[in-house]
Amino acid sequence: MDLTGLFSKRCVLVTGKGGVGRSTVTAALALAAARRGRRVLVSEVGDEGQGHSPLARHFGRERLPEVRPAPLAPGVEAVELLARVGQELFLATVLHAATLAHAAMSSEALRRMVNAGPSFREMGVYFQLLTLLRARRPEGDPLHELILVDMPATGHTLSLTGLPELLLRLVPRGPIAEALREGQGYMNDPAQAAAWTVTLPETLPVSECLELLDGLRRTAMPAGGVFVNRIPRDPFTAAEREGLAALIARHRLLGAEGFHRLEGCAFELRRLQAGTALPVIGLPELEGGPSLATDLSLALEGADPVEELLAVPRPARGAAPAAGSLLA
């Protein structure tokens, strides 16, 4: 896979259904970009008091740094996106006094009131991300050339990407509107930002992936493509598959479930292809463990478009997918 286009963005949101491997793909992308010499920042949308961070664990930590980015790996810095931090940054900008803003957000009652309001949590996260995009080195170029955000599950992603349009209808003028429009200048520009969806070659994740892509279009968030994670290796030749299929049809054999899994995987890949014109990139099923993100970052460099895995032309959008094995 040519990752140049993805790595040329200022901001990439990595999103998808829970359990599909978003954090692993985010960590792998960060490592691959850093190997290419990019100054990378990885982040995730966090909650106050949450336990461990799946993203941080790929780098041997329990949590990402809070408030300010800190080194995580060679060429990679990290920070957690927290509503409280973004809200405080916004108040400091409006009040022109960071100390006063910090004192205000130290009030438990004020924090509860702010977070109870519709979209105020997303506004905090949005403003912290905008602050990171604004950051510059002394010579004027971006502090972080690529910011990768491990997003929460689907609904939270669309709440964040749809935030500017929603709030601008309510608050068309003032500092909030100015910040939202500045953020739109980054996030709605396909030259600067993209959302990449991670899914699995299974029915429910693929269905939710297609719904998410529709939601991204509705919120004007550019979609870069889809990573299909954990695609199983097909060890059989065409002749072997044909013979095994006939044998399994007559007998109950150990391993039949794994054989049928390949067929189901191919069906879902074709369904995904039929549902989107975006690039669909297959990622292999790898062994877990501490080196998983590193191994996947290396696999990313040689990842194939799904149509090459299937060895068939991409169906026209809306066409019914045909069943078959991965290498049929």
Side-chain angles (χ1 to χ4, degrees):
M1 173 187 176
D2 184 2
L3 298 169
T4 304
L6 190 157
F7 291 160
S8 68
K9 310 295 184 189
R10 287 296 322 285
C11 183
V12 172
L13 308 182
V14 182
T15 184
K17 181 179 170 65
V20 297
R22 290 188 319 265
S23 298
T24 307
V25 172
T26 303
L29 287 169
L31 294 171
R35 279 200 304 272
R36 294 192 178 195
R38 302 288 285 173
R39 296 189 302 276
V40 181
L41 176 72
V42 292
S43 58
E44 66 182 356
V45 180
D47 286 311
E48 298 287 349
Q50 76 178 31
H52 74 276
S53 156
L55 178 59
R57 284 191 169 178
H58 285 295
F59 296 93
R61 301 198 183 188
E62 284 298 303
R63 293 289 299 273
L64 296 184
E66 294 185 9
V67 184
R68 294 181 181 83
L72 203 62
V76 180
E77 291 192 338
V79 72
E80 193 169 9
L81 298 178
L82 293 169
R84 168 184 56 82
V85 172
Q87 291 160 356
E88 187 174 318
L89 287 168
F90 179 74
L91 280 178
T93 301
V94 173
L95 300 174
H96 304 288
T99 303
L100 184 58
H102 180 71
M105 291 306 298
S106 296
S107 164
E108 180 67 26
L110 179 61
R111 285 206 306 273
R112 284 201 304 268
M113 183 187 74
V114 166
N115 288 321
S119 301
F120 273 98
R121 180 180 182 275
E122 288 82 3
M123 182 64 198
V125 171
Y126 195 87
F127 194 80
Q128 186 181 1
L129 179 57
L130 175 58
T131 301
L132 294 168
L133 287 164
R134 287 171 172 170
R136 293 288 186 271
R137 301 204 302 177
E139 53 269 35
D141 54 337
L143 181 61
H144 302 103
E145 295 171 304
L146 171 63
I147 298 177
L148 292 160
V149 185
D150 181 7
M151 296 294 294
T154 300
H156 294 289
T157 296
L158 297 179
S159 294
L160 187 67
T161 59
L163 179 72
E165 191 62 34
L166 171 66
L167 288 187
L168 283 170
R169 289 200 297 267
L170 302 173
V171 189
R173 290 180 295 277
I176 291 179
E178 291 171 4
L180 290 168
R181 290 192 176 96
E182 184 182 355
Q184 284 179 315
Y186 288 107
M187 303 304 292
N188 295 156
D189 179 0
Q192 298 196 72
W196 276 79
T197 303
V198 182
T199 189
L200 298 177
E202 300 169 7
T203 301
L204 289 179
V206 167
S207 295
E208 186 161 326
C209 171
L210 293 172
E211 292 173 3
L212 176 54
L213 293 175
D214 285 336
L216 291 171
R217 281 191 290 272
R218 290 195 302 271
T219 60
M221 180 70 207
V226 179
F227 288 116
V228 186
N229 197 21
R230 303 179 199 155
I231 293 182
R233 186 179 68 88
D234 186 343
F236 304 115
T237 66
E240 288 170 340
R241 281 193 301 275
E242 185 178 351
L244 281 170
L247 190 63
I248 289 172
R250 295 194 303 270
H251 305 284
R252 297 182 64 180
L253 299 176
L254 185 66
E257 183 177 344
F259 182 83
H260 289 310
R261 182 188 173 209
L262 292 172
E263 299 297 319
C265 173
F267 181 90
E268 294 303 328
L269 292 176
R270 288 185 168 87
R271 186 162 72 94
L272 184 56
Q273 281 187 302
T276 180
L278 295 169
V280 180
I281 307 299
L283 301 178
E285 190 168 42
L286 300 174
E287 293 290 333
S291 67
L292 176 59
T294 300
D295 294 342
L296 187 59
S297 76
L298 297 171
L300 273 166
E301 301 283 357
D304 294 317
V306 162
E307 54 261 37
E308 293 184 17
L309 289 174
L310 294 168
V312 295
R314 177 189 288 271
R317 188 169 183 186
S325 69
L326 291 180
L327 302 178

